[in-house]
Amino acid sequence: MIEVSSLVKRYGDHTAVDHLSFTVEEGQITGFLGPNGAGKSTTMNIITGYLAPSEGRVVIDGHDILEEPEEAKKCIGYLPELPPLYPEMTVREYLDFAAELKKVPKEKKAEEIEKAMDEVKITDMANRLIKNLSKGYCQRVGLAQAILGNPKILILDEPTVGLDPKQIIEIRELMKNLGKKHTVLLSSHILSEVSAVCDYVMIISHGKLVASDTPENLSKLTQGSNILDLTVRGQMGTIVSAVGMMSDIEDVQYADSAENGCVDVRIKTAQDVDIRENIFYRMAELQCPILKMQYSSLSLEDVFLELTEDSEAEENSEAAEDTSEENDTEEFFEEEFPEDTPEEENIEEKEKENESNL
Ligand code: ADP
Ligand code: MG
């Protein structure tokens, strides 16, 4: 449905998208995941025809975006990172205006607008001014605008950024529903969002695709090792020196346990190594009872960090002036506090992007 081949976008001597190739299959919700500055918005702006690529090709449902832009764009509904809403218009006026831009046939316009409003549940707000709507409702208006004219493909750029947790849940539900009727490409820097909503995930870092698979298969990527989690009652020092003397351990972390007088220990070993009995006897000798011992698998978070870590370190020196870089990891886990994110981003960049979306 969407074919991207060897896409490159350079801003001066900075390569924002670096020979990116992927296919989005019809009928799926595909997640486009990456830290801030990874090149998600740039790629989406190229796919939707708002930005010209430096190199490479985009084909939408058989139409090359440069050779047949009209046909290609007709297949796409786009919700940009900063939707160009007009605060002085009512919801219905705005959608009417959007329907005209999209050349929805006159006789179908009213019906299409009602349908779009119904689908994103904003019919009650039809006569309200956009400036009086909450951010969550504004985002729904943006979604309604995207689905006007019933395009086959929906491209949604970070649709939950800046929303509160309740609004996030509502928008995610809406996206899942939209995924039943449309092919959806959804970008996000929040892993749990992508794994909750998407059938397929593409992870990008510094403009390059670093992994793509189903959420389930991605979590299997790190299964080359065993992670053993323990809660042991005893002194931190005793436990640290006992575990430190054991062989076959690749990595170990200690933390004070939520259980009083206990230590949580996370041990990483090679996959074919089982140290459970050794640990049991060793702790028994020291009279440090093991209250819990279980294998745990690495989460998708671990996969994501592992995949995006190397290239980040590599570019940290050259991107020293990019303050958003430092916040990537932190923000990544900050799903519950999305309202913090806009301030943290480079405002100048956003403005530039906004201009290109209008
Ligand atoms: P994402 O959406 O994944 O956060 P973007 O596509 O917005 O990433 O940005 C990718 C990279 O390109 C970033 O390093 C950003 O600073 C840079 N960039 C984006 N837009 C512009 C622009 N108009 N001019 C110069 N650099 C830009
Ligand atoms: Mg972006």
Side-chain angles (χ1 to χ4, degrees), residues 41 81 157-158:
S41 299
E81 199 163 31
D157 195 358
E158 306 231 19

Side-chain angles (χ1 to χ4, degrees), residues 203 211 213 215-227 250 266 268-271 296-308:
I203 302 181
D213 215 323
E216 298 76 36
N217 284 344
L218 280 177
S219 20
K220 283 186 201 150
L221 267 183
T222 44
Q223 284 182 350
S225 47
N226 284 333
I227 302 287
E250 287 179 1
R266 170 168 270 209
K268 188 173 168 189
T269 66
Q271 188 152 40
S296 70
S297 57
L298 287 178
S299 68
L300 261 178
E301 255 100 10
D302 301 311
V303 180
F304 180 87
L305 289 177
E306 205 163 285
L307 287 170
T308 52

Side-chain angles (χ1 to χ4, degrees), residues 11 14 16 35-43 81 322 349 352-353:
Y11 294 111
H14 176 65
N36 283 328
K40 303 180 295 294
S41 299
T42 303
T43 306
E81 199 163 31
D322 185 354
E349 243 168 63
K352 277 186 212 146
E353 239 167 49

Side-chain angles (χ1 to χ4, degrees), residues 9-12 14-17 32-45 51 81 157-158 187-189 204 206-207 315 319 322 324-325 345-346 348-350 352-353 356:
K9 180 68 191 181
R10 295 187 197 92
Y11 294 111
H14 176 65
T15 307
V17 177
F32 201 34
L33 179 70
N36 283 328
K40 303 180 295 294
S41 299
T42 303
T43 306
M44 289 180 145
N45 279 329
L51 200 62
E81 199 163 31
D157 195 358
E158 306 231 19
S187 79
S188 177
H189 65 279
I204 67 162
H206 296 283
E315 289 207 19
D322 185 354
S324 69
E325 197 78 19
E345 303 202 6
N346 188 328
E348 226 168 85
E349 243 168 63
K350 295 278 143 185
K352 277 186 212 146
E353 239 167 49
S356 69

Side-chain angles (χ1 to χ4, degrees), residues 58-188:
V58 175
V59 177
I60 311 289
D61 199 22
H63 307 287
D64 187 297
I65 189 79
L66 293 179
E67 287 162 17
E68 303 175 89
E70 292 270 312
E71 286 82 352
K73 283 185 185 179
K74 225 183 267 172
C75 306
I76 299 178
Y78 184 27
L79 178 66
E81 199 163 31
L82 298 167
L85 297 178
Y86 293 89
E88 301 298 333
M89 286 185 179
T90 66
V91 171
R92 189 180 269 115
E93 279 164 0
Y94 171 71
L95 291 176
D96 190 76
F97 168 71
E100 284 209 3
L101 286 184
K102 290 188 161 197
K103 302 196 178 95
V104 175
K106 256 205 162 62
E107 66 279 7
K108 278 192 170 173
K109 215 168 60 174
E111 183 194 332
E112 283 283 336
I113 291 171
E114 291 309 316
K115 227 169 63 187
M117 289 196 297
D118 181 53
E119 207 160 341
V120 300
K121 305 194 179 74
I122 50 169
T123 309
D124 293 347
M125 304 287 164
N127 298 317
R128 289 259 193 112
L129 288 178
I130 288 177
K131 68 176 177 193
N132 296 333
L133 297 181
S134 69
K135 189 126 205 267
Y137 271 99
C138 283
Q139 208 57 335
R140 290 184 197 214
V141 177
L143 277 174
Q145 164 276 132
I147 60 181
L148 271 176
N150 200 23
K152 289 186 188 170
I153 301 169
L154 290 179
I155 297 195
L156 314 175
D157 195 358
E158 306 231 19
T160 58
V161 159
L163 304 185
D164 69 36
K166 184 164 169 279
Q167 294 168 332
I168 289 180
I169 291 169
E170 289 165 357
I171 296 285
R172 282 186 193 165
E173 281 309 308
L174 275 179
M175 291 192 291
K176 276 194 206 169
N177 270 330
L178 292 173
K180 291 176 189 156
K181 289 193 209 151
H182 307 263
T183 300
V184 179
L185 178 62
L186 157 79
S187 79
S188 177

